[in-house]
Amino acid sequence: VQLQASGGGLVQVGGSLRLSCTGSGDSFRRYVTGWFRQAPGKEREFVAALKWSGGSTHYADSVKGRFTISRDNAKNTVYLQMDALKPEDTAVYYCVADSTIILSSYRTASAYDYWGQGTLVTVSS
């Protein structure tokens, strides 16, 4: 599957953005899709994941209650709605997908076979 991410940009503290990731070449219905981010000088970190079969969602503690991962089956697209943004949310955000990943590996970047190109989110204070 190929992943195309979009929606990044510049936003003020407390603002909102919605990232999109559309898959092509395969249906997401048997995948886990998610988002990772990498800030300058920092390691890549897990943000959120969604298992399309069943719809379970998982979040990093740092974004829980502020970010929402969701899907559109018809568009084969996963979204990341980001609200109450903070300067520390500034990063390049990557969408990911994998069809064989297990629950215990959802938060592990190396467990995902497919990666989008990354989209930059900058939160200014």
Side-chain angles (χ1 to χ4, degrees):
V1 67
Q2 294 80 46
L3 306 179
Q4 181 67 44
S6 61
L10 175 65
V11 64
Q12 292 187 333
V13 169
S16 298
L17 277 176
R18 189 179 77 160
L19 306 183
S20 302
C21 177
T22 298
S24 59
D26 198 1
S27 169
F28 275 158
R29 66 176 179 269
R30 59 190 184 88
Y31 282 75
V32 172
T33 57
W35 295 90
F36 281 75
R37 67 186 181 185
Q38 187 166 21
K42 295 189 176 181
E43 293 187 354
R44 199 164 291 188
E45 66 172 352
F46 170 78
V47 177
L50 182 150
K51 183 177 182 181
W52 282 59
S53 174
S56 63
T57 58
H58 310 263
Y59 296 94
D61 288 343
S62 59
V63 307
K64 199 172 295 184
R66 300 188 298 121
F67 290 12
T68 303
I69 190 169
S70 63
R71 63 185 177 182
D72 185 322
N73 291 355
K75 296 181 178 179
N76 209 42
T77 297
V78 60
Y79 301 100
L80 185 69
Q81 177 67 41
M82 304 184 293
D83 298 318
L85 282 161
K86 305 175 180 180
E88 52 263 42
D89 295 318
T90 295
V92 176
Y93 284 70
Y94 299 90
C95 65
V96 297
D98 198 275
S99 62
T100 61
I101 192 169
I102 58 175
L103 176 59
S104 59
S105 297
Y106 282 11
R107 299 167 186 264
T108 303
S110 61
Y112 290 86
D113 281 344
Y114 303 101
W115 288 72
Q117 81 282 13
T119 184
L120 177 63
V121 172
T122 303
V123 184
S124 68
S125 54

